[in-house]
Amino acid sequence: MDIMTVTLTTEAPAAHWGKADVTYQGAQALIHLSGSEELRQVQMAARKIRNQGVNAVQLAGDLWSVHTQWAFAQGFATAKAGYQVLWCGSDADQATLTQRAEAAQFARKLINDTPEDLSPVSLATQAAAWLKDIGGDKISFNIVEGQELLEKKWVGIHAVGRGSERPPALLELDFNPLAADAPVSVALVGKGITFDSGGYSLKSSEGMLAMKCDMGGAATVTAALGLAMKAGLNKRVKLFLCCAENLVSGRAFKLGDVLTYKNGTTVEIVNTDAEGRLVLADGLQAASDTGAPLIIDAATLTGAAVMAVGSNYNAIFSPQTATLQLAQKRAAAVSENVWPLPLDPWHKDMCPSAYADTANSRPAKGGGAGGASNAAGFLWRFVSPEANWLHVDLAGAFESSASALWAAGATTHGVLTIAELLKD
């Protein structure tokens, strides 16, 4: 495989290149930095180099930092394998970047996998196996699947997944590098909808095409935990992945159904395409049962979040201002983008029902105005009041088509932020 050397420079390109921000000298590419948005410029340059058919690069020169190298790698990555980025800088920097790349590649492969190849149980099994490879005997896990979910009163995961021939599943995983009775410091919850047809609230063909990515939350929290473990995490963390296929069949759940959750909350189904919050409700209750002082969930939950913050940010929600500020600080430290959206106690009541404590959405397109906040309000009902809680709506986790910054497919945007939040 031919390897192209890529160097950063603050010098303007030679006159014959015009205003080009990437120029070439034989087997070397020069990225000409200008302005204040260096990371964005580097990532866009990486896309341009990749689009020239370059599959392998060696980053070289003194201007590269961890942040710029990672931005380049994100722009260079594609859904298809067979590419390579070789790092530069100190041994510590290269080790950090290698750990990030391994975690991101795991998440990217899962998210880009076909729905046929990634069933709910397969998602749970692959996540557990990857973490077990990293953590060894510090990892223990259990997969609850099919009818056993009802026996355990995980009614949301079961209801969403019962329309598929392939059973839904809840992965319960414990990373404990401490004593057996050590308290759980953080509980992670991920939405693992391996394919979302919308159920009887059927999506359009165009809207359904990218729905293999609807398990992006599960992949994100798993990759974040694995990355933190690689970096020496020394606290007890529990992980819950809520895995199901949302399909149409004679067994599928229906509009008008009422679910009674483990905590007694009753939920009327007014939209079977608002299924993510139904499975997360189980995961958040399981996380709350651990007594963890911090609960973080991640999900490709609402189109409303994408409309609010675009696809280059992830939306964050929390009842605690300090939790939002911590998430913003940690995201900034790894050059990821998050933005807080409103969450007030009255958001819990923004999906009213005449038949149950709440509905799972509003009977309006996209859940109506404020849909992302209303979804967060629904989830809040299932979180322990004693816990600090961060909800990440992964607006930037997947690109349906290539852009100037990203190839089509998984971006893994959010993995680094959550890994940073696990450090304290």
Side-chain angles (χ1 to χ4, degrees), residues 14-226:
H16 67 275
W17 286 101
K19 295 182 178 180
D21 56 356
V22 181
T23 63
Y24 300 90
Q25 298 176 359
Q28 180 183 35
L30 297 173
I31 299 175
H32 300 268
L33 299 176
S34 61
S36 58
E37 296 186 334
E38 285 191 358
L39 297 182
R40 187 177 180 87
Q41 184 184 353
V42 167
Q43 188 166 338
M44 293 173 70
R47 293 293 311 130
K48 293 176 182 178
I49 294 170
R50 189 79 164 96
N51 286 336
Q52 294 296 317
V54 176
N55 295 320
V57 295
Q58 169 68 67
L59 306 183
D62 297 332
L63 294 185
W64 288 104
S65 67
V66 167
H67 298 304
T68 51
Q69 290 187 77
W70 187 246
F72 184 94
Q74 291 290 74
F76 200 72
T78 62
K80 296 179 180 179
Y83 61 88
Q84 185 178 28
V85 178
L86 301 175
W87 315 114
C88 64
S90 69
D91 290 345
D93 285 354
Q94 292 190 50
T96 294
L97 288 161
T98 297
Q99 290 170 356
R100 288 184 181 185
E102 291 168 350
Q105 184 57 30
F106 170 79
R108 185 172 282 113
K109 183 182 182 305
L110 278 185
I111 296 169
N112 290 333
D113 249 353
T114 69
E116 180 62 26
D117 289 339
L118 192 70
S119 69
V121 171
S122 174
L123 171 57
T125 301
Q126 289 189 52
W130 185 70
L131 291 173
K132 184 74 172 177
D133 283 345
I134 299 169
D137 60 7
K138 298 174 184 176
I139 292 285
S140 59
F141 66 91
N142 179 49
I143 298 175
V144 183
E145 64 178 271
Q147 194 63 24
E148 188 183 357
L149 289 162
L150 275 187
E151 297 168 8
K152 302 282 188 180
K153 299 185 178 179
W154 302 129
V155 298
I157 300 171
H158 181 271
V160 172
R162 77 187 194 203
S164 172
E165 293 182 359
R166 303 194 289 186
L170 172 66
L171 171 64
E172 306 169 324
L173 184 141
D174 186 3
F175 169 66
N176 186 9
L178 307 172
D181 60 350
V184 178
S185 295
V186 186
L188 299 173
V189 181
K191 173 186 171 183
I193 303 297
T194 55
F195 185 72
D196 181 19
S197 71
Y200 280 106
S201 302
L202 195 67
K203 293 179 181 289
S204 66
S205 180
E206 181 182 357
M208 208 184 295
L209 179 59
M211 283 300 102
K212 62 183 179 182
C213 81
D214 215 17
M215 37 60 64
T220 297
V221 292
T222 302
L225 176 56

Side-chain angles (χ1 to χ4, degrees), residues 278-295:
L278 297 175
V279 302
L280 286 174
D282 284 337
L284 288 169
Q285 289 175 97
S288 295
D289 289 345
T290 69
L294 176 61
I295 296 172

